[in-house]
Amino acid sequence: MPPLVEPAAELTVDEVRRYSRHLIIPDVGMAGQKRLKNARVLCVGAGGLGSPALLYLAAAGVGTLGVIDFDVVDESNLQRQVIHGQSDVGRPKAESAAASVREINPLVDVVVHNEALTNDNVMEIFSRYDLIVDGTDNFATRYMVNDAAVLLGKPYVWGSIYRFDGQASVFWAEHGPCYRCLYPEPPPPGMVPSCAEGGVLGVLCASIGSIQVNEAIKLLTGIGDPLVGRLMIYDALEMNYRSVKVRKDPECPLCGKNPTITQLLDDYEAFCGAVSEEAQEAASGSTITAAELKSWQDRGDDIYVIDVREPNEYEIVSIPGAVLIPKGEFLNGSALERLPQDKKIVLHCKSGARSAECLAIVKNAGFSDAVHVGGGVLSWVKTVDPSLPTY
Ligand SMILES: [Zn+2]
């Protein structure tokens, strides 16, 4: 595949010294390093994948490095987001990441986008870069990144992580499939837990993030065999990497022969259905606040509080008196026989999405006065008992 960028005119003496271990690799050499110097790479997200990706892209001498993130550094990020440190807690991630990049390599021109990537800015921002590294953790943004990249004709390096499992690929519609060819539809809401819900082994981020940087460098310099049309699957417990072929789908609505998606979707959140329609319907008029739950408990109401999260989440923090029945038991129906007929059912989860899904099932089973707690245990900690830990 041809190199993505033309070489810069020259390297300075400082640059030659700094990058000497690259320069003596014949495949990289002067020409490759000059291409990296001229390269403009955007990293979407300065989180688990963005952290190692930005650190190594900076060290490698990518001339212009953009970082977009709207979030601030939280203590629970530090277990894996190694570009941030203790003193960065509370600081915008984009700024904290940019400071680390400058410390590693002052020759890099860092562009800070301290904002959310949205339909309104994604095309304009992407158009300023040669290559995108996608380190996002949610499906709505992934589809938006893919659609924008395909519409702009740009390649991007995708990665995803969950517990001990990681995946990576390069999507470049001009030369291979796009993300929609691999995953035509987002998973049903609530089916695939996020890292916040399911956890992730910190070092897994480095394994996948480094694959992403490796592919980025190959694409920029035109060396090796990029991960276009292949999906890399990493299992940290078995310790193996597999790669499977991903074919371009000729019927792909975005990059196929007769595309029906010719511009960004209006609403990616809705496309990915953050909460299903059934759940939204069930929750409407049947959502209480954490403070309301507390007052019901305090006055001794006849309620049955059910935590639908997973056991390890329950162990970290739970609402006093809540009984643990994980969501899976509602999905397979086994939870229903455990529900008391003479008490009002109150469901909660971490933030309210899973409990809304379960609420729909419970109401369908005839518990018409059941409710769920909007904002879940996170809202309980925030508004009722801030001494409890969050995750
Ligand atoms: Zn496609």
Side-chain angles (χ1 to χ4, degrees):
M1 234 161 263
L4 262 183
V5 286
E6 289 304 310
E10 57 178 9
L11 296 185
T12 65
V13 175
D14 280 350
E15 287 167 336
V16 169
R17 260 200 307 269
R18 177 179 286 264
Y19 304 122
S20 63
R21 299 303 186 274
H22 271 171
L23 300 177
I24 56 179
I25 306 174
D27 302 83
V28 183
M30 268 292 183
Q33 195 64 47
K34 284 178 180 172
R35 291 187 199 277
L36 292 178
K37 181 178 179 177
N38 238 4
R40 307 174 59 87
V41 177
L42 175 71
C43 194
V44 182
L49 293 172
S51 287
L54 284 163
L55 292 173
Y56 276 99
L57 288 167
V62 167
T64 304
L65 207 42
V67 47
I68 180 160
D69 204 308
F70 66 95
D71 210 358
V72 296
V73 180
D74 182 84
E75 204 172 13
S76 67
N77 300 147
L78 303 180
Q79 159 261 17
R80 64 198 178 285
Q81 300 180 16
V82 295
I83 202 166
H84 314 295
Q86 184 65 42
S87 62
D88 296 315
V89 170
R91 190 178 184 195
K93 284 187 182 179
E95 283 174 19
S96 163
S100 298
V101 165
R102 290 189 192 104
E103 177 62 23
I104 284 178
N105 191 346
L107 305 177
V108 173
D109 183 12
V110 197
V111 184
V112 175
H113 304 274
N114 185 11
E115 58 190 320
L117 192 65
T118 67
N119 280 27
D120 297 329
N121 63 17
V122 62
M123 298 297 269
E124 193 275 318
I125 292 177
F126 277 20
S127 67
R128 292 192 242 162
Y129 295 90
D130 303 306
L131 177 69
I132 319 295
V133 173
D134 180 17
T136 53
D137 60 355
N138 66 83
F139 288 96
T141 313
R142 275 183 198 147
Y143 279 93
M144 180 173 70
V145 165
N146 180 69
D147 294 0
V150 172
L151 292 171
L152 289 165
K154 305 224 179 228
Y156 76 101
V157 191
W158 168 83
S160 100
I161 44 175
Y162 179 71
R163 292 189 175 165
F164 299 98
D165 299 320
Q167 299 187 350
S169 191
V170 172
F171 296 114
W172 194 359
E174 220 171 285
H175 298 277
C178 79
Y179 183 73
R180 284 181 185 271
C181 296
L182 176 61
Y183 297 115
E185 279 183 9
M191 281 298 287
V192 178
S194 67
C195 288
E197 287 167 358
V200 60
L201 188 73
V203 71
L204 183 75
C205 303
S207 308
I208 300 301
S210 71
I211 292 177
Q212 292 182 280
V213 174
N214 188 63
E215 293 309 303
I217 290 173
K218 282 159 59 185
L219 291 165
L220 295 168
T221 58
I223 61 173
D225 191 11
L227 211 43
V228 174
R230 285 185 293 149
L231 174 68
M232 189 57 90
I233 302 169
Y234 172 57
D235 179 335
L237 286 183
E238 294 289 324
M239 187 42 72
N240 62 40
Y241 287 94
R242 293 188 295 131
S243 97
V244 297
K245 262 209 164 71
V246 183
R247 287 178 206 290
K248 193 177 182 77
D249 177 4
E251 306 303 321
C252 176
L254 182 66
C255 77
K257 282 179 299 201
N258 302 300
T260 52
I261 302 171
T262 54
Q263 55 181 41
L264 294 177
L265 304 186
D266 291 334
D267 188 342
Y268 283 90
E269 293 286 348
F271 171 66
C272 294
V275 176
S276 72
E277 263 174 52
E278 291 93 336
Q280 280 178 33
E281 219 166 275
S284 124
S286 301
T287 302
I288 62 166
T289 65
E292 276 176 283
L293 170 59
K294 175 75 167 107
S295 70
W296 289 7
Q297 285 181 326
D298 287 349
R299 65 172 191 230
D301 280 13
D302 210 9
I303 56 175
Y304 193 72
V305 184
I306 301 170
D307 186 339
V308 305
R309 296 174 303 155
E310 299 303 312
N312 45 357
E313 298 181 87
Y314 185 81
E315 236 171 70
I316 297 170
V317 57
S318 60
I319 294 177
V323 179
L324 178 70
I325 307 180
K327 190 183 83 178
E329 297 183 31
F330 287 89
L331 293 177
N332 70 24
S334 66
L336 295 173
E337 58 207 41
R338 295 172 58 187
L339 305 185
Q341 300 287 338
D342 55 344
K343 288 182 161 73
K344 188 178 176 80
I345 306 289
V346 180
L347 302 166
H348 85 83
C349 61
K350 182 179 183 183
S351 61
R354 282 175 281 175
S355 58
E357 301 289 334
C358 294
L359 183 63
I361 295 169
V362 167
K363 284 189 146 190
N364 264 336
F367 298 86
S368 56
D369 66 343
V371 295
H372 88 129
V373 180
V377 74
L378 291 181
S379 161
W380 177 274
V381 173
K382 208 168 177 185
T383 60
V384 177
D385 188 356
S387 72
L388 294 173
T390 53
Y391 62 101

